[in-house]
Amino acid sequence: MGKTGLKLIDENGIRIDGRKPDQLRPISMDVGVLKNAQGSALVSYGKTTVLAAVYGPREALPRHMTLPDRAILRVRYHMAPFSTTERKSPAPTRREVELSKVIRESLEASVFTELYPRTTIDIFIEVLQADGGTRTTSLTAASMALADAGIPMKDLIAGVAVGKVNGKLVLDINEAEDSGGEADMPVAMMPNLGKIVLLQLNGTLTRDEFKEAMKMSIKAIKEIYLIQKQTLRDKYAKMTEEEKEE
Ligand code: ADP
């Protein structure tokens, strides 16, 4: 049983949405979905759907906020009022302010900000539908939007959350597993460099569970990374085709 007493995994090890413990939700991705943003991406992990848009690097106002040796990243993570089952107030909550900061710090690890002194790069993240794992989906989407904007990065970032439900580790948790489970561990990394850029843990795991959860998340992140790269490649192949036709 989870902390709420709910049965979240059956005797055959199948989860409430029919997945096996180490199975990701269906993932879909697209880039360049907004004409007026420099870069954009739409990413879904199951029902969790996030839109990310990048503006910049551009001259920052107020000017005193800029830095002489690098660009600053500004991130706004926001959940749309219609993204949750009960209407969410459009005003930013403490959770959204905190997540904006956490996501910004993770993205800062990947961007070559020193290439654009005295500028800002604005990243707007809009959660269109929330069903668990929005911060990790947001990081996957924001990183692709930065790539779509042509901003040089050390590597892409991909993320996923591992949880513990009814005493068992499960990959890519949905909201029911997040709220009814014993632990929730979002992880994001630069897969090619093998660097972790986000690691949080809500709840408790034993040392062995933690090791296993890390292994599960790294394997999944590498799978997500392949889809990211393929999506970006397909987009640019299509663009080149269109240019040839013009
Ligand atoms: P994450 O989305 O990264 O897992 P949390 O653990 O804080 O972050 O949230 C878990 C899930 O709870 C979210 O994905 C979302 O489905 C739901 N949730 C969060 N905030 C709200 C809210 N204000 N109203 C309704 N549901 C929410």
Side-chain angles (χ1 to χ4, degrees), residues 126-159:
E126 198 67 23
V127 177
L128 302 179
Q129 194 162 262
D131 186 26
T134 64
R135 80 194 62 197
T136 42
T137 312
S138 295
L139 274 166
T140 301
S143 182
M144 293 179 78
L146 284 163
D148 184 47
I151 294 173
M153 287 182 286
K154 294 169 196 155
D155 194 2
L156 284 169
I157 289 176

PDB file of all heavy atoms in Angstrom, residues 126-159:
ATOM      1  N   GLU A 126       5.332  26.496 -20.062  1.00  0.00           N
ATOM      2  CA  GLU A 126       3.912  26.466 -19.760  1.00  0.00           C
ATOM      3  C   GLU A 126       3.471  25.003 -19.658  1.00  0.00           C
ATOM      4  O   GLU A 126       3.573  24.253 -20.648  1.00  0.00           O
ATOM      5  CB  GLU A 126       3.176  27.201 -20.903  1.00  0.00           C
ATOM      6  CG  GLU A 126       1.784  27.644 -20.598  1.00  0.00           C
ATOM      7  CD  GLU A 126       1.662  28.735 -19.533  1.00  0.00           C
ATOM      8  OE1 GLU A 126       2.634  29.490 -19.286  1.00  0.00           O
ATOM      9  OE2 GLU A 126       0.587  28.806 -18.919  1.00  0.00           O
ATOM     10  N   VAL A 127       3.049  24.607 -18.467  1.00  0.00           N
ATOM     11  CA  VAL A 127       2.533  23.242 -18.306  1.00  0.00           C
ATOM     12  C   VAL A 127       1.087  23.269 -18.797  1.00  0.00           C
ATOM     13  O   VAL A 127       0.248  23.953 -18.224  1.00  0.00           O
ATOM     14  CB  VAL A 127       2.623  22.776 -16.833  1.00  0.00           C
ATOM     15  CG1 VAL A 127       2.025  21.388 -16.670  1.00  0.00           C
ATOM     16  CG2 VAL A 127       4.069  22.808 -16.347  1.00  0.00           C
ATOM     17  N   LEU A 128       0.838  22.561 -19.898  1.00  0.00           N
ATOM     18  CA  LEU A 128      -0.511  22.572 -20.486  1.00  0.00           C
ATOM     19  C   LEU A 128      -1.390  21.516 -19.835  1.00  0.00           C
ATOM     20  O   LEU A 128      -2.594  21.666 -19.732  1.00  0.00           O
ATOM     21  CB  LEU A 128      -0.433  22.327 -21.998  1.00  0.00           C
ATOM     22  CG  LEU A 128       0.426  23.321 -22.787  1.00  0.00           C
ATOM     23  CD1 LEU A 128       0.431  22.958 -24.265  1.00  0.00           C
ATOM     24  CD2 LEU A 128      -0.095  24.741 -22.598  1.00  0.00           C
ATOM     25  N   GLN A 129      -0.763  20.415 -19.419  1.00  0.00           N
ATOM     26  CA  GLN A 129      -1.484  19.355 -18.719  1.00  0.00           C
ATOM     27  C   GLN A 129      -0.530  18.714 -17.718  1.00  0.00           C
ATOM     28  O   GLN A 129       0.597  18.390 -18.083  1.00  0.00           O
ATOM     29  CB  GLN A 129      -1.985  18.322 -19.734  1.00  0.00           C
ATOM     30  CG  GLN A 129      -3.009  17.381 -19.172  1.00  0.00           C
ATOM     31  CD  GLN A 129      -3.782  16.689 -20.281  1.00  0.00           C
ATOM     32  OE1 GLN A 129      -4.888  17.086 -20.635  1.00  0.00           O
ATOM     33  NE2 GLN A 129      -3.202  15.665 -20.831  1.00  0.00           N
ATOM     34  N   ALA A 130      -0.995  18.595 -16.466  1.00  0.00           N
ATOM     35  CA  ALA A 130      -0.115  18.075 -15.421  1.00  0.00           C
ATOM     36  C   ALA A 130      -0.587  16.709 -14.955  1.00  0.00           C
ATOM     37  O   ALA A 130      -1.740  16.545 -14.548  1.00  0.00           O
ATOM     38  CB  ALA A 130      -0.082  19.042 -14.244  1.00  0.00           C
ATOM     39  N   ASP A 131       0.308  15.730 -15.052  1.00  0.00           N
ATOM     40  CA  ASP A 131       0.011  14.405 -14.495  1.00  0.00           C
ATOM     41  C   ASP A 131       1.293  13.803 -13.940  1.00  0.00           C
ATOM     42  O   ASP A 131       1.698  12.700 -14.295  1.00  0.00           O
ATOM     43  CB  ASP A 131      -0.603  13.499 -15.577  1.00  0.00           C
ATOM     44  CG  ASP A 131      -1.064  12.162 -14.986  1.00  0.00           C
ATOM     45  OD1 ASP A 131      -1.363  12.106 -13.776  1.00  0.00           O
ATOM     46  OD2 ASP A 131      -1.110  11.163 -15.730  1.00  0.00           O
ATOM     47  N   GLY A 132       1.970  14.567 -13.095  1.00  0.00           N
ATOM     48  CA  GLY A 132       3.220  14.102 -12.489  1.00  0.00           C
ATOM     49  C   GLY A 132       4.422  14.336 -13.382  1.00  0.00           C
ATOM     50  O   GLY A 132       4.310  14.335 -14.609  1.00  0.00           O
ATOM     51  N   GLY A 133       5.560  14.617 -12.743  1.00  0.00           N
ATOM     52  CA  GLY A 133       6.812  14.769 -13.497  1.00  0.00           C
ATOM     53  C   GLY A 133       6.887  16.021 -14.351  1.00  0.00           C
ATOM     54  O   GLY A 133       7.575  16.035 -15.374  1.00  0.00           O
ATOM     55  N   THR A 134       6.245  17.085 -13.929  1.00  0.00           N
ATOM     56  CA  THR A 134       6.263  18.274 -14.794  1.00  0.00           C
ATOM     57  C   THR A 134       7.638  18.946 -14.812  1.00  0.00           C
ATOM     58  O   THR A 134       8.023  19.518 -15.818  1.00  0.00           O
ATOM     59  CB  THR A 134       5.192  19.315 -14.404  1.00  0.00           C
ATOM     60  OG1 THR A 134       5.479  19.812 -13.113  1.00  0.00           O
ATOM     61  CG2 THR A 134       3.797  18.740 -14.465  1.00  0.00           C
ATOM     62  N   ARG A 135       8.394  18.882 -13.695  1.00  0.00           N
ATOM     63  CA  ARG A 135       9.704  19.571 -13.710  1.00  0.00           C
ATOM     64  C   ARG A 135      10.691  18.859 -14.643  1.00  0.00           C
ATOM     65  O   ARG A 135      11.471  19.507 -15.329  1.00  0.00           O
ATOM     66  CB  ARG A 135      10.260  19.718 -12.288  1.00  0.00           C
ATOM     67  CG  ARG A 135      10.926  18.514 -11.700  1.00  0.00           C
ATOM     68  CD  ARG A 135      11.135  18.637 -10.212  1.00  0.00           C
ATOM     69  NE  ARG A 135       9.843  18.765  -9.518  1.00  0.00           N
ATOM     70  CZ  ARG A 135       9.714  19.200  -8.282  1.00  0.00           C
ATOM     71  NH1 ARG A 135      10.758  19.559  -7.591  1.00  0.00           N
ATOM     72  NH2 ARG A 135       8.529  19.260  -7.722  1.00  0.00           N
ATOM     73  N   THR A 136      10.620  17.540 -14.673  1.00  0.00           N
ATOM     74  CA  THR A 136      11.560  16.807 -15.526  1.00  0.00           C
ATOM     75  C   THR A 136      11.146  16.934 -16.998  1.00  0.00           C
ATOM     76  O   THR A 136      11.996  17.126 -17.870  1.00  0.00           O
ATOM     77  CB  THR A 136      11.640  15.330 -15.072  1.00  0.00           C
ATOM     78  OG1 THR A 136      10.329  14.859 -14.778  1.00  0.00           O
ATOM     79  CG2 THR A 136      12.518  15.174 -13.859  1.00  0.00           C
ATOM     80  N   THR A 137       9.841  16.878 -17.261  1.00  0.00           N
ATOM     81  CA  THR A 137       9.359  17.084 -18.635  1.00  0.00           C
ATOM     82  C   THR A 137       9.726  18.495 -19.086  1.00  0.00           C
ATOM     83  O   THR A 137      10.107  18.720 -20.243  1.00  0.00           O
ATOM     84  CB  THR A 137       7.825  16.871 -18.695  1.00  0.00           C
ATOM     85  OG1 THR A 137       7.501  15.657 -18.034  1.00  0.00           O
ATOM     86  CG2 THR A 137       7.327  16.820 -20.127  1.00  0.00           C
ATOM     87  N   SER A 138       9.622  19.460 -18.162  1.00  0.00           N
ATOM     88  CA  SER A 138       9.956  20.856 -18.483  1.00  0.00           C
ATOM     89  C   SER A 138      11.421  20.993 -18.876  1.00  0.00           C
ATOM     90  O   SER A 138      11.758  21.720 -19.816  1.00  0.00           O
ATOM     91  CB  SER A 138       9.700  21.765 -17.273  1.00  0.00           C
ATOM     92  OG  SER A 138       8.338  21.800 -16.978  1.00  0.00           O
ATOM     93  N   LEU A 139      12.290  20.300 -18.153  1.00  0.00           N
ATOM     94  CA  LEU A 139      13.719  20.379 -18.483  1.00  0.00           C
ATOM     95  C   LEU A 139      14.006  19.779 -19.853  1.00  0.00           C
ATOM     96  O   LEU A 139      14.759  20.352 -20.650  1.00  0.00           O
ATOM     97  CB  LEU A 139      14.548  19.676 -17.408  1.00  0.00           C
ATOM     98  CG  LEU A 139      14.906  20.564 -16.229  1.00  0.00           C
ATOM     99  CD1 LEU A 139      15.415  19.764 -15.051  1.00  0.00           C
ATOM    100  CD2 LEU A 139      15.947  21.611 -16.640  1.00  0.00           C
ATOM    101  N   THR A 140      13.373  18.656 -20.146  1.00  0.00           N
ATOM    102  CA  THR A 140      13.543  18.024 -21.465  1.00  0.00           C
ATOM    103  C   THR A 140      13.084  18.996 -22.560  1.00  0.00           C
ATOM    104  O   THR A 140      13.768  19.186 -23.571  1.00  0.00           O
ATOM    105  CB  THR A 140      12.722  16.708 -21.524  1.00  0.00           C
ATOM    106  OG1 THR A 140      13.172  15.846 -20.483  1.00  0.00           O
ATOM    107  CG2 THR A 140      12.871  16.016 -22.860  1.00  0.00           C
ATOM    108  N   ALA A 141      11.927  19.636 -22.330  1.00  0.00           N
ATOM    109  CA  ALA A 141      11.357  20.551 -23.336  1.00  0.00           C
ATOM    110  C   ALA A 141      12.194  21.824 -23.461  1.00  0.00           C
ATOM    111  O   ALA A 141      12.498  22.276 -24.576  1.00  0.00           O
ATOM    112  CB  ALA A 141       9.914  20.894 -22.960  1.00  0.00           C
ATOM    113  N   ALA A 142      12.597  22.406 -22.323  1.00  0.00           N
ATOM    114  CA  ALA A 142      13.349  23.667 -22.359  1.00  0.00           C
ATOM    115  C   ALA A 142      14.686  23.482 -23.064  1.00  0.00           C
ATOM    116  O   ALA A 142      15.123  24.335 -23.845  1.00  0.00           O
ATOM    117  CB  ALA A 142      13.566  24.182 -20.936  1.00  0.00           C
ATOM    118  N   SER A 143      15.324  22.357 -22.829  1.00  0.00           N
ATOM    119  CA  SER A 143      16.603  22.097 -23.459  1.00  0.00           C
ATOM    120  C   SER A 143      16.451  21.990 -24.978  1.00  0.00           C
ATOM    121  O   SER A 143      17.282  22.502 -25.743  1.00  0.00           O
ATOM    122  CB  SER A 143      17.178  20.801 -22.877  1.00  0.00           C
ATOM    123  OG  SER A 143      18.420  20.541 -23.424  1.00  0.00           O
ATOM    124  N   MET A 144      15.360  21.366 -25.415  1.00  0.00           N
ATOM    125  CA  MET A 144      15.117  21.261 -26.857  1.00  0.00           C
ATOM    126  C   MET A 144      14.763  22.621 -27.457  1.00  0.00           C
ATOM    127  O   MET A 144      15.143  22.922 -28.594  1.00  0.00           O
ATOM    128  CB  MET A 144      13.991  20.274 -27.124  1.00  0.00           C
ATOM    129  CG  MET A 144      14.400  18.871 -26.761  1.00  0.00           C
ATOM    130  SD  MET A 144      13.098  17.731 -27.050  1.00  0.00           S
ATOM    131  CE  MET A 144      13.224  17.543 -28.822  1.00  0.00           C
ATOM    132  N   ALA A 145      14.049  23.444 -26.698  1.00  0.00           N
ATOM    133  CA  ALA A 145      13.716  24.789 -27.194  1.00  0.00           C
ATOM    134  C   ALA A 145      14.995  25.619 -27.333  1.00  0.00           C
ATOM    135  O   ALA A 145      15.153  26.385 -28.293  1.00  0.00           O
ATOM    136  CB  ALA A 145      12.724  25.467 -26.241  1.00  0.00           C
ATOM    137  N   LEU A 146      15.941  25.439 -26.397  1.00  0.00           N
ATOM    138  CA  LEU A 146      17.230  26.148 -26.491  1.00  0.00           C
ATOM    139  C   LEU A 146      18.002  25.676 -27.727  1.00  0.00           C
ATOM    140  O   LEU A 146      18.586  26.485 -28.460  1.00  0.00           O
ATOM    141  CB  LEU A 146      18.070  25.897 -25.230  1.00  0.00           C
ATOM    142  CG  LEU A 146      17.648  26.673 -23.980  1.00  0.00           C
ATOM    143  CD1 LEU A 146      18.263  26.060 -22.724  1.00  0.00           C
ATOM    144  CD2 LEU A 146      18.059  28.147 -24.086  1.00  0.00           C
ATOM    145  N   ALA A 147      17.971  24.377 -27.974  1.00  0.00           N
ATOM    146  CA  ALA A 147      18.652  23.836 -29.161  1.00  0.00           C
ATOM    147  C   ALA A 147      17.983  24.375 -30.416  1.00  0.00           C
ATOM    148  O   ALA A 147      18.658  24.777 -31.374  1.00  0.00           O
ATOM    149  CB  ALA A 147      18.608  22.307 -29.137  1.00  0.00           C
ATOM    150  N   ASP A 148      16.662  24.435 -30.410  1.00  0.00           N
ATOM    151  CA  ASP A 148      15.909  24.938 -31.566  1.00  0.00           C
ATOM    152  C   ASP A 148      16.222  26.423 -31.809  1.00  0.00           C
ATOM    153  O   ASP A 148      16.210  26.888 -32.945  1.00  0.00           O
ATOM    154  CB  ASP A 148      14.411  24.727 -31.308  1.00  0.00           C
ATOM    155  CG  ASP A 148      13.556  25.132 -32.495  1.00  0.00           C
ATOM    156  OD1 ASP A 148      13.902  24.740 -33.623  1.00  0.00           O
ATOM    157  OD2 ASP A 148      12.560  25.844 -32.296  1.00  0.00           O
ATOM    158  N   ALA A 149      16.535  27.142 -30.719  1.00  0.00           N
ATOM    159  CA  ALA A 149      16.890  28.569 -30.842  1.00  0.00           C
ATOM    160  C   ALA A 149      18.337  28.733 -31.322  1.00  0.00           C
ATOM    161  O   ALA A 149      18.798  29.858 -31.536  1.00  0.00           O
ATOM    162  CB  ALA A 149      16.696  29.274 -29.502  1.00  0.00           C
ATOM    163  N   GLY A 150      19.052  27.631 -31.445  1.00  0.00           N
ATOM    164  CA  GLY A 150      20.434  27.685 -31.922  1.00  0.00           C
ATOM    165  C   GLY A 150      21.418  28.155 -30.863  1.00  0.00           C
ATOM    166  O   GLY A 150      22.505  28.645 -31.182  1.00  0.00           O
ATOM    167  N   ILE A 151      21.063  28.033 -29.603  1.00  0.00           N
ATOM    168  CA  ILE A 151      21.951  28.481 -28.526  1.00  0.00           C
ATOM    169  C   ILE A 151      22.955  27.365 -28.198  1.00  0.00           C
ATOM    170  O   ILE A 151      22.549  26.232 -27.916  1.00  0.00           O
ATOM    171  CB  ILE A 151      21.117  28.904 -27.293  1.00  0.00           C
ATOM    172  CG1 ILE A 151      20.318  30.146 -27.683  1.00  0.00           C
ATOM    173  CG2 ILE A 151      21.996  29.143 -26.060  1.00  0.00           C
ATOM    174  CD1 ILE A 151      19.323  30.621 -26.690  1.00  0.00           C
ATOM    175  N   PRO A 152      24.255  27.674 -28.287  1.00  0.00           N
ATOM    176  CA  PRO A 152      25.249  26.608 -28.067  1.00  0.00           C
ATOM    177  C   PRO A 152      25.193  26.045 -26.634  1.00  0.00           C
ATOM    178  O   PRO A 152      25.127  26.797 -25.663  1.00  0.00           O
ATOM    179  CB  PRO A 152      26.586  27.311 -28.308  1.00  0.00           C
ATOM    180  CG  PRO A 152      26.255  28.547 -29.074  1.00  0.00           C
ATOM    181  CD  PRO A 152      24.883  28.952 -28.632  1.00  0.00           C
ATOM    182  N   MET A 153      25.216  24.732 -26.565  1.00  0.00           N
ATOM    183  CA  MET A 153      25.154  24.053 -25.267  1.00  0.00           C
ATOM    184  C   MET A 153      26.183  22.936 -25.211  1.00  0.00           C
ATOM    185  O   MET A 153      26.565  22.398 -26.250  1.00  0.00           O
ATOM    186  CB  MET A 153      23.769  23.433 -25.071  1.00  0.00           C
ATOM    187  CG  MET A 153      22.684  24.432 -24.797  1.00  0.00           C
ATOM    188  SD  MET A 153      21.112  23.602 -24.535  1.00  0.00           S
ATOM    189  CE  MET A 153      20.694  23.116 -26.183  1.00  0.00           C
ATOM    190  N   LYS A 154      26.582  22.601 -23.985  1.00  0.00           N
ATOM    191  CA  LYS A 154      27.537  21.505 -23.808  1.00  0.00           C
ATOM    192  C   LYS A 154      26.888  20.183 -24.177  1.00  0.00           C
ATOM    193  O   LYS A 154      27.528  19.272 -24.668  1.00  0.00           O
ATOM    194  CB  LYS A 154      27.994  21.454 -22.351  1.00  0.00           C
ATOM    195  CG  LYS A 154      28.790  22.687 -21.965  1.00  0.00           C
ATOM    196  CD  LYS A 154      29.017  22.773 -20.472  1.00  0.00           C
ATOM    197  CE  LYS A 154      29.460  24.195 -20.155  1.00  0.00           C
ATOM    198  NZ  LYS A 154      29.182  24.596 -18.799  1.00  0.00           N
ATOM    199  N   ASP A 155      25.601  20.075 -23.893  1.00  0.00           N
ATOM    200  CA  ASP A 155      24.846  18.844 -24.164  1.00  0.00           C
ATOM    201  C   ASP A 155      23.374  19.172 -23.967  1.00  0.00           C
ATOM    202  O   ASP A 155      23.041  20.188 -23.335  1.00  0.00           O
ATOM    203  CB  ASP A 155      25.281  17.754 -23.149  1.00  0.00           C
ATOM    204  CG  ASP A 155      24.842  16.349 -23.531  1.00  0.00           C
ATOM    205  OD1 ASP A 155      24.222  16.181 -24.599  1.00  0.00           O
ATOM    206  OD2 ASP A 155      25.119  15.424 -22.747  1.00  0.00           O
ATOM    207  N   LEU A 156      22.497  18.332 -24.469  1.00  0.00           N
ATOM    208  CA  LEU A 156      21.076  18.482 -24.152  1.00  0.00           C
ATOM    209  C   LEU A 156      20.851  18.030 -22.713  1.00  0.00           C
ATOM    210  O   LEU A 156      21.713  17.362 -22.132  1.00  0.00           O
ATOM    211  CB  LEU A 156      20.238  17.596 -25.079  1.00  0.00           C
ATOM    212  CG  LEU A 156      20.046  18.065 -26.520  1.00  0.00           C
ATOM    213  CD1 LEU A 156      19.437  16.935 -27.352  1.00  0.00           C
ATOM    214  CD2 LEU A 156      19.146  19.295 -26.577  1.00  0.00           C
ATOM    215  N   ILE A 157      19.700  18.375 -22.177  1.00  0.00           N
ATOM    216  CA  ILE A 157      19.312  17.884 -20.850  1.00  0.00           C
ATOM    217  C   ILE A 157      18.026  17.083 -21.001  1.00  0.00           C
ATOM    218  O   ILE A 157      17.110  17.495 -21.715  1.00  0.00           O
ATOM    219  CB  ILE A 157      19.098  19.061 -19.869  1.00  0.00           C
ATOM    220  CG1 ILE A 157      20.451  19.699 -19.521  1.00  0.00           C
ATOM    221  CG2 ILE A 157      18.374  18.605 -18.598  1.00  0.00           C
ATOM    222  CD1 ILE A 157      20.361  20.930 -18.648  1.00  0.00           C
ATOM    223  N   ALA A 158      17.992  15.930 -20.349  1.00  0.00           N
ATOM    224  CA  ALA A 158      16.764  15.137 -20.327  1.00  0.00           C
ATOM    225  C   ALA A 158      16.502  14.714 -18.888  1.00  0.00           C
ATOM    226  O   ALA A 158      17.439  14.522 -18.113  1.00  0.00           O
ATOM    227  CB  ALA A 158      16.905  13.910 -21.223  1.00  0.00           C
ATOM    228  N   GLY A 159      15.229  14.611 -18.548  1.00  0.00           N
ATOM    229  CA  GLY A 159      14.909  14.269 -17.156  1.00  0.00           C
ATOM    230  C   GLY A 159      13.775  13.269 -17.055  1.00  0.00           C
ATOM    231  O   GLY A 159      12.990  13.089 -17.992  1.00  0.00           O
TER     232      GLY A 159
END
